[in-house]
Amino acid sequence: MKKGYLVLQDGQVFEGFRFGGPADAVGELVFTTGMCGYLETLTDPSYAGQIVMQTYPLIGNYGIIPEDFEGACCVRGYVVREWCEEPSNFRCQGDLDAFLRDRGVPGLWGVDTRELTRIIREHGVMNAAICDEVPADLTAVKTYAVTGVVEAVTCRAASAHPAEGEERFRVSLLDYGAKRNIVRELQKRGCTVTVLPAQTSAEEVLAAKPDGVMLSNGPGDPAENVYQIEQIKKLLGKVPLFGICLGHQLTALAVGGGTYKLKYGHRGVNQPVRDLEGVRTYITSQNHGYAVDGTSLPVGKVRFINANDGTCEGIDYPDLRAFTVQFHPEACTGPKDTSFLFDQFVALMKGGDR
């Protein structure tokens, strides 16, 4: 076993053992609390630029299952307490070590992830390095920033995905780092989906005459995506629109609202979200480091809030035929409490209300 180190930007060092890719890496260290779904985490493009740490101690026990991938593996590094060297699952087609090694992603196991989580919760998200030797100079770690990640993870060309059964609607999905299950959820509801690169102009989108437009999840600081925000401004009010995660944040910026960085974000599959227009609280899957300032919106109304910290989790724009949510109704690993939002999007395309 080869020793390795996780070095935080404040100089704290955690010793562990290397697996996965052999290279060193610097990234923004974040933690996720899911007890399952490590495959979906590793293949979620929203983690681009980040070193992901799992709070659940045993990772890799059901191996690698390509059918469960949500996209490309974009993480900068992977940190776990214990990884399973001999996975057991009838669908397994490989192990975690080989998966990371094939993609050049460095991993570190045997680390005190409990203490690391406490540090991040207390001090907030910070940069870190996975390395073979503790560097004497931490400048590269301290100055690292997650930038340009939407352009890095978006698709390079448009692609069409036919509806299951009879086609009822045509949806254009702007890919800011989209998870594959967004497409699947729409296909199941009779939608033919055209996935478009993030650089696609509003004029190109509208020229195809879609019945609705979806804005996907994605990584990074939403305010950095100036071009995408301008295109959403042109789309609002022209066609029914549904935004998820980064798409939610970009829409708020497009109408003149604001966003801000959370102390350590919401990442996991057990985030409670309260519907302000009803009596329900939903358990949701989330992965984001930024939030919308619900008090900054000149139009629209906050529909959902996080039951833990009161942050904005969803906004309705009834006059613009649009709605957005911060959480993930398409989450493959569950919970699936909020998948009904896709039905509401279909209803909006029919010409009705949510």
Side-chain angles (χ1 to χ4, degrees):
M1 293 184 293
K2 182 179 180 180
K3 279 189 178 181
Y5 301 91
L6 183 73
V7 183
L8 306 185
Q9 69 180 55
D10 64 1
Q12 294 185 78
V13 177
F14 288 78
E15 185 178 300
F17 300 98
R18 296 291 300 259
F19 74 120
D24 293 351
V26 176
E28 183 182 63
L29 179 65
V30 300
F31 67 83
T32 181
T33 60
M35 294 177 66
C36 62
Y38 60 85
L39 291 176
E40 288 84 354
T41 293
L42 282 167
T43 57
D44 181 351
S46 294
Y47 282 109
Q50 296 176 326
I51 295 174
V52 176
M53 177 179 64
Q54 301 271 178
T55 61
Y56 188 70
L58 178 60
I59 299 297
N61 52 316
Y62 51 86
I64 299 300
I65 306 166
E67 289 179 2
D68 292 348
F69 293 176
E70 285 290 348
C73 180
C74 300
V75 302
R76 298 278 296 176
Y78 199 48
V79 179
V80 301
R81 177 64 179 173
E82 180 182 352
W83 68 281
C84 180
E85 298 182 51
E86 297 181 3
S88 177
N89 185 286
F90 73 98
R91 299 173 66 218
C92 176
Q93 297 183 37
D95 63 78
L96 181 58
D97 179 45
F99 173 87
L100 295 174
R101 189 171 61 250
D102 290 347
R103 289 155 180 80
V105 175
L108 198 65
W109 69 275
V111 179
D112 188 349
T113 54
R114 188 182 181 92
E115 178 61 21
L116 270 170
T117 301
R118 287 173 172 162
I119 290 171
I120 294 174
R121 285 178 63 91
E122 179 67 26
H123 298 286
V125 167
M126 63 176 73
N127 294 339
I130 294 176
C131 47
D132 289 336
E133 302 290 341
V134 178
D137 183 1
L138 294 179
T139 301
V141 181
K142 294 176 179 178
T143 58
Y144 176 81
V146 179
T147 60
V149 279
V150 168
E151 287 76 10
V153 302
T154 187
C155 60
R156 298 300 167 221
S159 59
H161 305 267
E164 291 183 12
E166 182 183 355
E167 179 185 276
R168 300 172 62 201
F169 300 101
R170 292 181 300 112
V171 175
S172 293
L173 170 61
L174 285 164
D175 174 17
Y176 306 132
K179 294 198 288 184
R180 290 176 183 167
N181 208 44
I182 296 176
V183 174
R184 297 188 195 108
E185 290 292 336
L186 291 168
Q187 287 176 302
K188 285 191 294 188
R189 291 164 172 83
C191 299
T192 292
V193 184
T194 301
V195 181
L196 300 170
Q199 299 84 2
T200 305
S201 70
E203 290 79 11
E204 290 177 82
V205 174
L206 294 172
K209 299 187 185 313
D211 298 300
V213 171
M214 281 220 61
L215 309 177
S216 83
N217 60 291
D221 182 350
E224 183 182 85
N225 302 285
V226 176
Y227 176 81
Q228 285 74 24
I229 294 167
E230 288 302 314
Q231 305 317 302
I232 294 170
K233 286 181 182 179
K234 300 175 186 177
L235 292 172
L236 284 167
K238 303 286 181 57
V239 63
L241 185 146
F242 177 21
I244 293 174
C245 195
L246 182 61
H248 159 77
Q249 298 163 0
L250 295 179
T251 303
L253 291 169
V255 301
T259 57
Y260 61 96
K261 190 167 186 176
L262 295 167
K263 186 175 181 180
Y264 48 83
H266 299 150
R267 298 178 179 88
V269 296
N270 58 350
Q271 290 286 331
V273 168
R274 190 154 63 88
D275 184 348
L276 296 180
E277 292 192 0
V279 295
R280 289 289 303 272
T281 295
Y282 300 98
I283 302 303
T284 69
S285 176
Q286 300 194 16
N287 171 22
H288 61 101
Y290 290 81
V292 171
D293 179 359
T295 66
S296 69
L297 297 168
V299 299
K301 58 180 179 179
V302 175
R303 172 68 180 271
F304 298 102
I305 62 168
N306 190 292
N308 285 334
D309 59 17
T311 52
C312 175
E313 292 279 4
I315 303 168
D316 285 352
Y317 303 94
D319 294 338
L320 298 172
R321 293 189 297 161
F323 67 100
T324 65
V325 293
Q326 182 65 76
F327 49 90
H328 290 274
E330 82 288 358
C332 261
T333 53
K336 301 182 183 294
D337 298 30
T338 58
S339 60
F340 68 86
L341 291 169
F342 287 96
D343 298 317
Q344 294 189 355
F345 181 47
V346 169
L348 199 61
M349 289 190 288
K350 281 182 180 178
D353 296 325
R354 282 192 57 194

